[in-house]
Every structure is written in C-alpha cells, then in structure tokens.
Amino acid sequence: MFVAANFMAIMDTTIVNVALPALGRDFAVDTSGLGSVNVGYLVAMAVFIPVSGWLTRRFGTRRIALVALLLFTAASGLCATAGSLTALTGYRVLQGTGGGLLAPVGMTMLLRAFPVAERLRAQKYVMLPTAVAPALGPVLGGWLVDTVSWHWVFLVNVPVGALALLFGLWVLPDFPGSGAPRFDSQGFVLAGGGLAAVLYALTRAPDEGWGSGGVLVPLAGGAVLLTLLVPWELRTGHPMVDLRIVEDQLFRTTQLALLPMGAAFMGVLYLYPQLLQTGVGYDALHAGLATFPEALGMLTASQLVPRLHDRAGPSRLMAGGGAAAALVVVFLATTVGEAPPFTLYPAMYLLGCSVGLLFASGQNAAFVTVPAARTADATTVLNMQRQIAAAFGVALAATLSQAGADTGTVGAYRVGLLTMAAVSLCASALALRVSDRRVREGYSADAARAPDDESAHPG
C-alpha cells in the first residue's frame, strides 16, 4: 500500500507539468497563469507534512494512512472533473493534503513493521516510487494528453488509489499511537507556514526572479518562521515536530548528505530533458524516454545495496554514489549534442545506479538508531528535508537554464548540469561523516532486543 500511495504522490509532482498547455487552452488561460495548479498542491503538502507525526500518535497509523489515501484518490477524481482553473486549484489543494500525509505516515508504518536487520530487503520495493515515479510522470502525462485528454492525468490515480484503499482496509495492520499531547498550534503555524512559504517562493523564483517581492517576501518570511520553530519546539512540552531527533548523530549526518543529493537529482531530471530537446532535437516524449533509464539504474542499486552494505558500509556506498553521480552528470553536460545518442542511455542508467546507492544506503542508515517511538518525528523531518531539497534543486536548475530557454542555446543548460554535479560532490563529501560504527552498533542493539520486542511484529 505504501509503494502504491507514494508512487501516486510523487508522480503527481511531475505528471501535471506536461498537461499545462492543454489546461491553458481549455480554460483560456495563458500557461504562465497556471502556476497555481502546481503551487497549490506543493503548498498543501508542505502544510500537512509537519502535522503527520502528531496525527499518527493521536489516531494511529492505519486510520491516518487510509484517510489520506481516500482524500488523495477522491481529490484526483475531482481534479479530472474541474470546469475552471479555480476549481482545479482547490481540488489540487485537497490532493496535496492527502499527499502530504501519505509519505511520512507510510514510512512510519514501514519502519515500525520491519526490524532494522530486515529494512534493507524492504527497501528494494520502497525505492520503486522514488526511482520510477519522477521519470515516468512526464512520459505517461505526455502520452495521456496526446492520445486521450488532460483529464486522464488525474483519472489515472483513481483505480490505483481505489485498489490500494481496498487492500489497506483488508490487510493493513495498525500501529497505535502512544497518545498525543494537546495540539501544538503554534508549532503547526511555524512549521506548516514556514515550509509552505519557502516552497512557494522556490517554485515562483524561476519565473518571477529571485529579487522580486513575490519571491523575497515569502522566502524571508518562511525562513523566519522556520528559524523561530527551532527554539519553540525545543522549549515546549508538546512539540508538533520534536526536533530533538536531530540530536541523533547518525540521523543528522545522513540528512545532511541526502539534502544536496536530492536537490541535484531533481535538478538533473529538470534540466536533462530540456537539454535533449534543445541540443539534440528530441521531442518531449523521446526526451522523457531517454531520461527513463535512470529509474532502472536506481532499481538496480536498491537490489545491490543489501549485498554490499555489510561489506562496504553505508558511508563508502553513499560517498561513492555521490561522486559517481557527479562524474556522470559532467559527462552528460559536456557530451550531449556531440557524443553518439546511444551513449546517453547507459549514462543515465549509471546515474540512476549512483544516486540509488546514496539514497538507499542513506535512508536505511538514517533510522538505524532511531527508537520505534520516535519514528514519526524522524519521518516528518526527513520528508520536510526532501520537499525543500527537491524544490530548491528545480528552482536553481530552472534559474540557471533560463537563458538557454530564452535563446535556444545549450550553454546555460550545461552550466546548470555542471552546477548539479558540484552539488552531488558536496553530498559525497558530507556522506564521509556518516559513522559506519554507529550503524553496526545499531544493528547489534536491535538484534539483542528483538526477541523481547513484540512490537516489532504486530499481529
């Protein structure tokens, strides 16, 4: 259920982009005025990610997961019936509300269901939405818009969501919350408002310019709110997001490495198809298909990490993955338009393998020393980091490539890709700080208490 739900939520961040021209024609709105369709979805996700941990402690994971999936699926159907831009934006907000809860709640359930020693095996399946959904979105969206209509970009979620919901009602176990304290309204405003404002500013920056008031005001305001969140959550007795989780050294260092890699990954996925269309002459569909091998590479990496984990250690796997990704991106930036096109497919496959090594190793190591009772806080922080990383990576890539889009040249796209390569190297360097010793100690501690810990295998 987690794989299906997370797949839909992640794919919806990319699949709608290719439908924007068709939406503009139907609603008689210029494409530049359709930003609310995506902004509403991202902002709603940002508001509800921080509250996910409190909801699972208050109502239990099963109930919140099913409600979130029902809301996302119903909102997808409503989006397909929208007769105006205003209605579509409202339905996208509802969709984002469900999407904002699906990933952290599903990840909390996963971590509670599997002991530490078994999580790497589960990761082989959990990596599927992270690997395939961002690359499949533009391809599937383009095909649906061209062959049917833009309505099917949203309708495609309905049968998947309905089947996942029925499956969840039938077999999904519950992980009851320990009982949440009273609602931290101030923490909710600071966390949800701050994250939403920052994501809004990053989404609008490439179009409006980083120096415009429409970007600077929400960016500065969101940064202030998130800054104020830290002392408030550390001081209050009932935090919305317990930021003390970052005191866990292993969790903190993995998040520091995952953040730049997430930004670089999404930045490359934004830049590369545009470079193919500008420099090689691909159409949108073939550019999307040429990008897809990275998803296969990530899936391959998710199969390799369990076999290499004990031998190499997460720190080396993460650092090697980040460095290899940087090398591949440099190759793509310098050879697209000059090297034979068939070399691009294996290059994207290697990029997926490299990024997958870092993601799979890092996400597993992040939770090795996190107690089961604090998994909701940890998954909330991870998903907040993931959203900021993705938005920043795309915003930076779009800004750097703007000159290329305006002039039809490939130079700006190459500068953007080289910048993403540098960001990948930063992730590689930060990964060296991840402690393999702490990971081994976490495995040993979990193995020692597993026989007496019935909560590891509910039902």
Side-chain angles (χ1 to χ4, degrees):
M1 178 181 163
F2 172 63
V3 169
N6 208 28
F7 193 98
M8 292 190 299
I10 294 176
M11 190 170 67
D12 253 60
T13 62
T14 59
I15 193 173
V16 179
N17 291 334
V18 296
L20 292 180
L23 288 168
R25 289 191 297 271
D26 271 18
F27 296 150
V29 178
D30 186 79
T31 305
S32 61
L34 293 169
S36 61
V37 174
N38 281 333
V39 171
Y41 179 79
L42 289 173
V43 168
M45 286 187 71
V47 170
F48 281 90
I49 285 174
V51 79
S52 61
W54 184 88
L55 288 172
T56 56
R57 289 192 294 270
R58 176 67 177 82
F59 298 104
T61 54
R62 182 178 190 271
R63 189 179 303 176
I64 298 303
L66 293 174
V67 168
L69 183 57
L70 175 62
L71 184 60
F72 185 90
T73 305
S76 296
L78 290 171
C79 287
T81 66
S84 67
L85 179 60
T86 302
L88 180 58
T89 301
Y91 296 147
R92 285 284 280 171
V93 169
L94 287 177
Q95 197 183 31
T97 301
L101 295 173
L102 283 174
V105 174
M107 190 174 292
T108 298
M109 299 180 78
L110 176 81
L111 294 169
R112 295 283 298 274
F114 289 92
V116 170
E118 295 182 12
R119 288 177 189 168
L120 275 174
R121 289 194 296 155
Q123 191 104 328
K124 295 188 292 185
Y125 307 100
V126 176
M127 283 289 288
L128 178 67
T130 304
V132 178
L136 182 62
V139 178
L140 179 60
W143 180 75
L144 289 171
V145 171
D146 289 342
T147 57
V148 196
S149 71
W150 65 262
H151 303 81
W152 282 90
V153 168
F154 301 104
L155 280 175
V156 71
N157 290 328
V158 176
V160 179
L163 289 173
L165 186 63
L166 290 173
F167 180 75
L169 287 168
W170 180 33
V171 300
L172 194 66
D174 192 19
F175 298 90
S178 55
R182 66 184 179 87
F183 189 75
D184 177 18
S185 56
Q186 186 166 337
F188 174 68
V189 170
L190 293 174
L195 186 59
V198 168
L199 291 183
Y200 173 83
L202 292 175
T203 303
R204 302 304 303 164
D207 294 328
E208 298 184 15
W210 291 86
S212 68
V215 172
L216 281 179
V217 172
L219 185 61
V224 169
L225 290 177
L226 292 177
T227 301
L228 293 174
L229 174 71
V230 176
W232 170 258
E233 296 293 73
L234 294 178
R235 186 173 64 249
T236 185
H238 50 279
M240 174 65 64
V241 182
D242 191 355
L243 296 179
R244 293 180 182 86
I245 193 68
V246 299
E247 294 174 355
D248 185 301
Q249 191 264 352
L250 189 56
F251 180 80
R252 182 176 65 252
T253 52
T254 52
Q255 297 312 299
L256 289 174
L258 288 170
L259 193 150
M261 193 68 251
F265 176 59
M266 293 306 295
V268 171
L269 289 185
Y270 177 88
L271 288 167
Y272 182 66
Q274 296 188 54
L275 177 57
L276 288 179
Q277 294 174 72
T278 302
V280 187
Y282 283 24
D283 58 28
L285 178 60
H286 286 87
L289 291 172
T291 307
F292 194 74
E294 65 80 20
L296 302 178
M298 287 190 72
L299 291 177
T300 301
S302 69
Q303 306 297 312
L304 292 175
V305 166
R307 303 177 185 181
L308 300 175
H309 181 270
D310 293 336
R311 204 174 305 169
S315 177
R316 292 186 182 88
L317 290 176
M318 292 175 68
L327 290 175
V328 175
V329 174
V330 169
F331 170 80
L332 293 172
T334 55
T335 60
V336 169
E338 299 172 6
F342 67 82
T343 63
L344 304 179
Y345 292 87
M348 286 303 292
Y349 177 79
L350 290 175
L351 177 63
C353 286
S354 304
V355 174
L357 285 177
L358 193 147
F359 279 171
S361 302
Q363 289 184 13
N364 177 73
F367 296 96
V368 168
T369 54
V370 173
R374 305 191 68 186
T375 52
D377 294 312
T379 57
T380 298
V381 171
L382 182 144
N383 279 277
M384 290 175 67
Q385 169 266 114
R386 182 181 291 172
Q387 290 297 319
I388 291 175
F392 178 75
V394 172
L396 179 60
T399 301
L400 293 170
S401 66
Q402 197 66 52
D406 294 338
T407 62
T409 60
V410 300
Y413 294 112
R414 285 177 169 158
V415 170
L417 286 174
L418 291 174
T419 303
M420 295 302 120
V423 176
S424 297
L425 282 178
C426 291
S428 178
L430 289 168
L432 294 174
R433 299 182 58 193
V434 174
S435 173
D436 292 344
R437 178 181 59 81
R438 287 182 179 271
V439 173
R440 289 193 297 269
E441 290 174 352
Y443 271 77
S444 299
D446 182 74
R449 64 173 175 266
D452 300 321
D453 186 6
E454 295 181 0
S455 65
H457 301 279

